[in-house]
Amino acid sequence: MAPKNLQEVLDASRGAVDLLRNSQIGSYIYPVVPADFQNWIKEQTAWRQTAVLYDQSHHMDNLFLKGSDAIKLITATAINSTAVFPVNKAKQYVPTTESGHVIGDGILFREAEDEYVYVGRAPAANWLLYHGETGGYGNLDITVDRRSPSRPYGNQVTRQYYRFQIQGPNAWQVIEKLNGGPLEQLKFFNMSTMTIDGTTVRTLRHGMAGAPGLEIWGPYADHGRIRDAIVEAGAEFGLVPVGSRAYPSNTLESGWIPSPLPAIYTGEAERGYREWLPADSYEATGTLAGSFVSDRIEDYYLTPWELGYGSFVKFDHDFIGRDALERVDPAAQRKKVTLAWDAEDITRIYASLFNVEGPSYKFFDLPLANYGSANYDSVVDADGTVVGYSMFTGYSANERRALSLATIDPNVPEGTELKVVWGEPNGGTAKAAVEPHEQTEVRAVVSPVPYSTVARASYQGGWRTNYQSA
């Protein structure tokens, strides 16, 4: 009989690592939005030089929580403090397992007194949904609007809400033209409203591209009309719609690692959760990619500090994982960095495409080179010792460099040259997104996070980057 839940899938497999490293689901797709509107280089440079429109309507789950117990659920599952979380404010949500390892993250919007919306990837949404259903919360209603299908094959796709972001140096000029006049620049992650094409829309003060901008949302039926109005108003300011090919690469410059492996595949405390997760869930079908290989799935688990979320951990409330996190020495944890890859070594990888007699290395796709849901490439020092993981890799046309976001040992200083092992061992796994290849090493210099000097100067300290301005 076919497995019905994640636990049964694991029981029938040769272990979680083998299951995920040989998943057949294919590459992680940012669905529905066209791959390109111009080309990915022009779209990348626009978020640094003029303005861009991100269409975030399709690649994230939306979880709607209503009732007086909603804040109790959030508080019980988040490492963040909820002591100050007023209406019309957003907060990054980071849950951990009983062992103190990260499950995922996303953004929580407090839209009314007892109404919250979670927006983000499936792992944190599923964790909230499970604990909401099983935690005995009497006054709580949860509904979920899952991300759009990765491959709709021409079928109609609809969501409850559209979600756009207007970002870049000229973003505020576009926003005020749309609004028909000046608009107050609220503090970061504060919410308000504005008018677009005669319609009142909700807004979140944001800054994903390193400059003031807004996230905008409303009923999906208005998607096309609102999008067209933004594009028309932005034309004179150089606004460029960003396609799904360039969109995820913006985090290489801003410093957010989007997809660590959810730390839920072991642990007796999480068994009920694994039995609740369907056999076709993100957690059961996702792909684990990269050169780092361990028989122990626990070796892929990460603490909040290793992902740059250490400043979020607050012990002013009881939450799942608190006891374990209280025993952690933050100074001993790996730290998030950017790795700037050596141009000569990257050129050698591309040269292998045309070398009919030499080795063929793992294809480095542009602008995003990831080939799994969760990516773990070994980062080694001069002695060949693994000192961390490279977890999100690609190319920035703004920096003219291949970059990756990594977590490495705390004693490795900025400026150190390390090596990233690129490609999987033994010719590659059986994953759908992996072609036969040989491994190679790429020199990489430990650099700040975020890498972009623009983003370091403009981002809210602590949000996603854990960067604290001097």
Side-chain angles (χ1 to χ4, degrees), residues 30 33-36 40 43-44 47 52-57 59-60 121 165 206 208 215 242-252 256 367-368 392 464:
Y30 292 80
V33 178
D36 303 290
W40 62 264
E43 292 170 13
Q44 279 192 343
W47 68 58
V52 293
L53 172 63
Y54 297 131
D55 188 343
Q56 301 176 317
S57 304
H59 71 279
M60 295 182 286
R121 293 198 179 199
Q165 282 192 12
H206 211 306
M208 184 177 280
E215 186 165 311
V242 172
S244 59
R245 186 176 181 184
Y247 167 75
S249 67
N250 74 73
T251 65
L252 293 168
W256 172 54
L368 200 65
F392 202 81
R464 287 188 172 172

Side-chain angles (χ1 to χ4, degrees), residues 5-55:
N5 57 55
L6 172 59
Q7 186 61 57
E8 291 182 1
V9 171
L10 291 169
D11 291 344
S13 74
R14 293 186 293 182
V17 173
D18 183 79
L19 172 73
L20 300 174
R21 285 188 63 81
N22 292 286
S23 168
Q24 295 301 299
I25 199 169
S27 299
Y28 186 87
I29 291 174
Y30 292 80
V32 180
V33 178
D36 303 290
F37 289 94
Q38 296 189 359
N39 71 39
W40 62 264
I41 293 176
K42 293 169 74 174
E43 292 170 13
Q44 279 192 343
T45 55
W47 68 58
R48 183 77 65 87
Q49 296 178 5
T50 54
V52 293
L53 172 63
Y54 297 131
D55 188 343

Side-chain angles (χ1 to χ4, degrees), residues 12-243:
S13 74
R14 293 186 293 182
V17 173
D18 183 79
L19 172 73
L20 300 174
R21 285 188 63 81
N22 292 286
S23 168
Q24 295 301 299
I25 199 169
S27 299
Y28 186 87
I29 291 174
Y30 292 80
V32 180
V33 178
D36 303 290
F37 289 94
Q38 296 189 359
N39 71 39
W40 62 264
I41 293 176
K42 293 169 74 174
E43 292 170 13
Q44 279 192 343
T45 55
W47 68 58
R48 183 77 65 87
Q49 296 178 5
T50 54
V52 293
L53 172 63
Y54 297 131
D55 188 343
Q56 301 176 317
S57 304
H58 296 284
H59 71 279
M60 295 182 286
D61 285 352
N62 291 338
L63 202 66
F64 304 93
L65 303 92
K66 295 183 179 181
S68 58
D69 282 348
I71 191 62
K72 297 178 184 178
L73 168 64
I74 293 165
T75 302
T77 56
I79 65 173
N80 322 54
S81 173
T82 58
V84 180
F85 193 4
V87 173
N88 285 329
K89 184 80 174 177
K91 182 182 291 286
Q92 193 169 0
Y93 169 77
V94 182
T96 57
T97 61
E98 200 69 54
S99 64
H101 293 104
V102 172
I103 293 165
D105 81 306
I107 306 300
L108 276 169
F109 300 75
R110 189 169 190 176
E111 294 193 339
E113 182 61 31
D114 291 326
E115 295 185 14
Y116 303 79
V117 180
Y118 164 86
V119 179
R121 293 198 179 199
N126 289 339
W127 189 253
L128 272 170
L129 191 58
Y130 167 73
H131 286 283
E133 290 182 1
T134 63
Y137 297 100
N139 190 9
L140 175 65
D141 178 67
I142 304 180
T143 56
V144 62
D145 179 20
R146 294 293 189 184
R147 77 191 295 269
S148 298
S150 294
R151 299 175 179 88
Y153 297 114
N155 294 317
Q156 183 177 1
V157 175
T158 187
R159 297 296 305 272
Q160 201 159 333
Y161 291 100
Y162 68 80
R163 192 169 296 275
F164 298 123
Q165 282 192 12
I166 305 172
Q167 304 288 0
N170 296 345
W172 213 259
Q173 295 170 273
V174 178
I175 289 163
E176 292 193 331
K177 181 178 178 181
L178 283 164
N179 191 57
L183 194 69
E184 180 186 2
Q185 289 194 20
L186 299 173
K187 291 184 178 180
F188 191 80
F189 263 30
N190 278 267
M191 294 158 54
S192 186
T193 61
M194 66 175 290
T195 300
I196 298 179
D197 194 34
T199 300
T200 300
V201 302
R202 300 198 74 157
T203 65
L204 173 73
R205 171 70 166 79
H206 211 306
M208 184 177 280
L214 286 181
E215 186 165 311
I216 296 164
W217 66 97
Y220 191 77
D222 293 339
H223 175 281
R225 180 170 59 85
I226 298 299
R227 181 194 176 280
D228 290 347
I230 296 170
V231 172
E232 182 180 349
E236 70 172 288
F237 304 108
L239 180 137
V240 173
V242 172

Side-chain angles (χ1 to χ4, degrees), residues 387-403:
V387 296
Y389 312 129
S390 174
M391 301 186 65
F392 202 81
T393 304
Y395 175 82
S396 167
N398 292 309
E399 302 292 344
R400 299 292 295 271
R401 287 186 180 276
L403 303 171

Side-chain angles (χ1 to χ4, degrees), residues 239-433:
L239 180 137
V240 173
V242 172
S244 59
R245 186 176 181 184
Y247 167 75
S249 67
N250 74 73
T251 65
L252 293 168
E253 298 176 23
S254 66
W256 172 54
I257 299 176
S259 53
L261 186 75
I264 52 86
Y265 296 92
T266 52
E268 192 57 34
E270 286 73 46
R271 173 173 285 273
Y273 182 53
R274 294 191 296 273
E275 293 173 343
W276 177 87
L277 282 168
D280 62 352
S281 63
Y282 173 99
E283 295 82 352
T285 61
T287 52
L288 181 57
S291 59
F292 177 75
V293 182
S294 172
D295 292 334
R296 299 181 66 254
I297 194 68
E298 295 90 345
D299 290 340
Y300 297 86
Y301 296 172
L302 298 166
T303 68
W305 287 273
E306 292 175 303
L307 289 165
Y309 298 145
S311 63
F312 292 176
V313 180
K314 295 292 186 291
F315 299 119
D316 63 352
H317 64 294
D318 290 326
F319 61 91
I320 297 169
R322 172 177 172 160
D323 291 346
L325 293 177
E326 285 186 308
R327 296 191 294 269
V328 170
D329 176 9
Q333 300 298 294
R334 284 176 169 166
K335 61 184 179 182
K336 183 171 68 170
V337 299
T338 305
L339 297 177
W341 292 34
D342 183 81
E344 184 177 295
D345 290 348
I346 287 290
T347 302
R348 177 168 48 82
I349 291 172
Y350 275 98
S352 76
L353 290 170
F354 307 99
N355 187 346
V356 296
E357 297 179 354
S360 180
Y361 301 126
K362 178 73 187 76
F363 182 57
F364 190 102
D365 204 358
L366 295 175
L368 200 65
N370 301 331
Y371 51 97
S373 310
N375 301 270
Y376 288 70
D377 286 314
S378 295
V379 180
V380 299
D381 63 14
D383 298 325
T385 302
V386 175
V387 296
Y389 312 129
S390 174
M391 301 186 65
F392 202 81
T393 304
Y395 175 82
S396 167
N398 292 309
E399 302 292 344
R400 299 292 295 271
R401 287 186 180 276
L403 303 171
S404 65
L405 300 173
T407 183
I408 64 171
D409 289 352
N411 60 336
V412 181
E414 283 185 17
T416 302
E417 183 178 271
L418 300 171
K419 291 182 178 179
V420 179
V421 181
W422 178 246
E424 297 185 325
N426 304 316
T429 56
K431 279 191 291 294

